[in-house]
């Protein structure tokens, strides 16, 4: 897919060429008129300044779309002046060039909301490091674009590699999202203000809230939240239907952004096999500060995401 900046550059080059062509065409039209008529109709307009050129891509797109919507709408007879000839030529060229551009921009926007797939390779049993099970996750940016984009960033960063399911409550949720790498936790989970100004600048802000479009039903994934605008890295996998009673995750603004499409079948439910012996005993503050070392020493039998990748 061609980036938008390249598309706009190409459009700009074509537009300059079109303006030169239009100017030549308009000049020929003017020469066919009597000198007095041409000067009387066009002379005043030369004193007018050009319209202000838009300064941002947003304004450009807006103006192009407006031109596409109105080009050719005025069907009243007009005098064949140089100015009118120029306008007519530019209107036709605009219709020919801006419609494909608008479709291309719309195509890019649609692509950004297309689902994508993530595969988790999970070591369910701590005593069997060579036995890995797969969870296939369909991420849905059209459900929650901010959450989907944050999840994608963290996957690409390797945040969830060797990341344990530190809180497993059967029939309710399986929770993960504290990295084995304490440096990543300092950047994405909390901000170590004592580490200096340069470190603080790298701290990532929590996600702003966004509307919930799907219920927290079995198999969906939602970022954990503790209040307004608090979503960061931790994620709930809903083991059951948690939108309503007794857990009411919908009312607490847990926003699903993905769903498991393979690995929660009745015959092979990976989530149900995750080790839940520790319940909610993990100290999340210590886990974030010490990372994988804390998990290995204090909670050695947790099920772990060994790898997470986008396919």
């Amino acid at each position: 897919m061609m980036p938008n900046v390249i598309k706009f550059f190409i459009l700009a080059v074509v537009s300059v060429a079109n303006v030169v062509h239009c100017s030549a065409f308009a000049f020929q039209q003017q020469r066919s008129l009597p000198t007095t008529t041409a000067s009387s109709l066009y002379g005043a307009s030369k004193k007018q300044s050009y319209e202000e050129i838009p300064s941002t891509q947003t304004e450009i797109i807006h103006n192009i779309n407006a031109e596409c919507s109105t080009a050719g709408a005025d069907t009243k007879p007009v005098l064949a002046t140089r100015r009118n000839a120029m306008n007519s030529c530019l209107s036709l060229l605009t219709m020919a060039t801006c419609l494909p551009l608008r479709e291309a921009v719309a195509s890019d926007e649609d692509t950004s909301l297309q689902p994508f797939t993530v595969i988790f390779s999970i070591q369910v049993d701590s005593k069997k490091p060579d036995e890995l099970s797969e969870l296939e996750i369909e991420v849905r940016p059209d459900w929650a674009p901010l959450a989907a984009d944050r999840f994608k960033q963290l996957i690409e960063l390797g945040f969830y590699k060797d990341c344990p399911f530190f809180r497993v409550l059967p029939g309710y949720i399986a929770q993960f999202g504290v990295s084995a790498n304490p440096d990543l936790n300092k950047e994405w989970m909390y901000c170590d203000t004592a580490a200096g100004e340069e470190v603080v600048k790298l701290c990532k802000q929590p996600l702003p809230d966004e509307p919930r479009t799907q219920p927290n039903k079995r198999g969906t994934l939602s970022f954990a939240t503790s209040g307004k605008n608090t979503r960061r890295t931790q994620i709930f996998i809903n083991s059951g239907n948690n939108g309503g009673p007794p857990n009411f995750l919908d009312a607490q603004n847990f926003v699903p952004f993905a769903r498991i499409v393979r690995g929660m079948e009745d015959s092979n439910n990976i989530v149900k096999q995750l080790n839940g012996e520790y319940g909610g005993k993990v100290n999340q503050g210590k886990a974030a500060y010490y990372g994988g070392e804390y998990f290995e020493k204090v909670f050695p039998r947790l099920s772990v995401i060994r790898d997470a990748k986008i396919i």
Side-chain angles (χ1 to χ4, degrees), residues 47-68:
K47 298 179 181 179
Q48 299 174 359
S49 61
Y50 290 101
E51 293 181 358
E52 183 179 356
I53 299 174
S55 59
T56 66
Q57 285 191 358
T58 301
E59 291 176 314
I60 292 172
I61 293 174
H62 174 76
N63 291 340
I64 289 175
N65 286 335
E67 181 66 24
C68 286

Side-chain angles (χ1 to χ4, degrees), residues 55-259:
S55 59
T56 66
Q57 285 191 358
T58 301
E59 291 176 314
I60 292 172
I61 293 174
H62 174 76
N63 291 340
I64 289 175
N65 286 335
E67 181 66 24
C68 286
S69 301
T70 59
D74 186 0
T75 57
K76 296 179 181 179
V78 292
L79 292 174
T81 64
R82 178 178 177 180
R83 182 178 182 180
N84 289 333
M86 183 78 167
N87 288 339
S88 298
C89 182
L90 286 174
S91 293
L92 290 173
L93 289 170
T94 299
M95 291 175 66
T97 57
C98 71
L99 288 175
L101 177 63
R102 184 166 64 177
E103 291 178 2
V105 172
S107 176
D108 277 357
E109 292 173 350
D110 292 341
T111 300
S112 69
L113 296 178
Q114 290 297 314
F116 60 92
T117 300
V118 170
I119 299 293
F120 280 178
S121 298
I122 299 172
Q123 180 185 340
V124 175
D125 190 335
S126 61
K127 297 179 181 179
K128 300 177 180 179
D130 295 329
E131 293 186 10
L132 300 179
S133 302
E134 285 190 349
L135 277 183
E136 182 175 338
I137 300 167
E138 180 188 50
V139 183
R140 298 293 300 267
D142 55 327
W143 289 3
L146 297 180
D149 184 64
R150 172 61 62 90
F151 187 58
K152 183 178 182 181
Q153 284 182 292
L154 293 170
I155 293 288
E156 293 175 337
L157 187 64
F159 188 92
Y160 296 122
K161 182 177 176 60
D162 296 326
C163 178
F165 289 94
F166 66 85
R167 182 171 173 242
V168 178
L169 304 176
Y172 175 31
I173 56 96
Q175 185 174 355
F176 67 96
V178 179
S179 180
N181 184 338
D183 291 333
L184 290 178
N185 291 330
K186 290 178 183 178
E187 183 177 350
W188 290 86
M189 286 191 67
Y190 69 96
C191 197
D192 186 3
T193 56
E197 184 177 347
E198 294 302 317
V199 174
V200 172
K201 288 180 180 178
L202 298 176
C203 294
K204 307 300 182 183
Q205 295 301 311
L207 287 176
D209 292 340
E210 59 189 324
R212 180 182 56 78
T213 63
Q214 304 293 321
N216 282 272
K217 62 183 180 181
R218 181 179 179 273
T220 57
L221 282 72
S222 300
F223 274 94
T225 177
S226 58
K228 186 176 181 180
N229 302 326
T230 56
R231 298 178 300 168
R232 287 185 179 271
T233 64
Q234 295 190 41
I235 292 173
F236 281 14
I237 296 178
N238 286 302
S239 303
N241 295 321
N242 295 320
N247 299 309
F248 297 102
L249 293 189
D250 287 0
Q252 298 178 60
N253 203 32
F254 280 70
V255 178
F257 66 90
R259 61 173 182 162

